[in-house]
Amino acid sequence: DAKTTQPPSMDCAEGRAANLPCNHSTISGNEYVYWYRQIHSQGPQYIIHGLKNNETNEMASLIITEDRKSSTLILPHATLRDTAVYYCIVRVVITGFQKLVFGTGTRLLVSP
Amino acid sequence: GAGVSQTPSNKVTEKGKYVELRCDPISGHTALYWYRQSLGQGPEFLIYFQGTGAADDSGLPNDRFFAVRPEGSVSTLKIQRTERGDSAVYLCASSLGGLRTDTQYFGPGTRLTVL
């Protein structure tokens, strides 16, 4: 699986957009980019995934560069409840089985 | 609806003892995964079940670790002769299975402390 690089920590003011970067320069053509987050003392929570097009859902937007070597997760209006560790994962999806390989993620702190 | 549940939420045991950790997946999910998370690290894959069979157990650290899913629903992770290094949060996840972009849903985890 391709390796991902994320900043260890980021700060964001409540109500502002949080933009979390991820580098995955060795990604190959059939690998998807997944984002999960983990709020303190909880299990990881799926946020969004994409292959090459930008994606948006009710939680966030995912922007993938044209060369697919990096991506950005955008939380458009961060709230205090978005304080969590955010994991960027690159994974080849085999039918029925996706072993998630987590790094150490980005610890996002949303402040009032 | 009900999510993935894990019991117990906390388990304290002594070195050398045997422990069992239970996972109840989301109803109808055929795929089940176990992960282990040490302090300050991301979760690490242990084992994956598709139905009743362990399709991939490459993440189990050694033969003291074993997992079963006899009826294709509830799974139990078993650790023999526990060591202090086994202390971690053990996470279970389930997914529908069979889909190329299957979403894994995680439980809250069991925090295991080996004294």
Side-chain angles (χ1 to χ4, degrees):
Chain A
D1 298 323
K3 180 178 171 58
T4 62
T5 304
Q6 299 177 254
S9 63
M10 293 184 66
D11 295 324
C12 180
E14 188 179 21
R16 304 298 294 267
N19 298 289
L20 291 88
C22 179
N23 286 323
H24 30 79
S25 58
T26 60
I27 193 170
S28 55
N30 60 349
E31 291 186 310
Y32 285 72
V33 180
Y34 280 79
W35 284 83
Y36 277 75
R37 73 179 182 184
Q38 189 170 24
I39 296 169
H40 183 62
S41 296
Q42 296 183 22
Q45 176 190 25
Y46 167 80
I47 302 174
I48 199 167
H49 74 275
L51 183 61
K52 48 187 170 182
N53 297 324
N54 297 338
E55 302 287 345
T56 296
N57 63 20
E58 65 279 4
M59 290 183 68
S61 295
L62 174 60
I63 308 298
I64 303 174
T65 58
E66 192 169 342
D67 62 7
R68 304 208 323 122
K69 293 186 177 181
S70 65
S71 60
T72 301
L73 179 74
I74 301 172
L75 308 178
H77 306 286
T79 70
L80 300 179
R81 289 175 295 179
D82 291 323
T83 291
V85 178
Y86 287 77
Y87 296 100
C88 170
I89 300 163
V90 172
R91 178 64 185 138
V92 174
V93 178
I94 303 167
T95 299
F97 176 36
Q98 42 162 318
K99 179 174 67 180
L100 299 176
V101 179
F102 292 82
T104 52
T106 295
R107 185 172 298 276
L108 175 68
L109 176 62
V110 181
S111 302
Chain B
V4 177
S5 62
Q6 294 186 244
T7 54
S9 55
N10 281 283
K11 176 71 177 178
V12 180
T13 190
E14 294 179 343
K15 180 175 179 295
K17 299 290 188 182
Y18 168 83
V19 297
E20 289 189 353
L21 311 178
R22 176 186 168 107
C23 172
D24 282 86
I26 293 172
S27 177
H29 281 192
T30 62
L32 186 145
Y33 311 76
W34 283 98
Y35 293 81
R36 178 169 73 171
Q37 186 170 25
S38 300
L39 192 62
Q41 303 296 315
E44 294 178 294
F45 169 81
L46 295 177
I47 187 170
Y48 155 68
F49 287 89
Q50 180 58 45
T52 60
D56 187 325
D57 63 359
S58 61
L60 294 178
N62 52 60
D63 61 6
R64 295 187 297 106
F65 288 75
F66 189 72
V68 296
R69 195 186 185 198
E71 298 178 357
S73 178
V74 171
S75 176
T76 304
L77 179 65
K78 308 181 181 193
I79 310 174
Q80 298 177 321
R81 305 183 303 280
T82 52
E83 299 177 356
R84 293 194 179 87
D86 299 335
S87 296
V89 175
Y90 288 82
L91 294 160
C92 176
S94 71
S95 67
L96 282 170
L99 303 176
R100 294 191 69 242
T101 55
D102 225 11
T103 297
Q104 293 185 29
Y105 297 90
F106 283 80
T110 293
R111 180 175 299 279
L112 175 67
T113 303
V114 182
L115 301 177

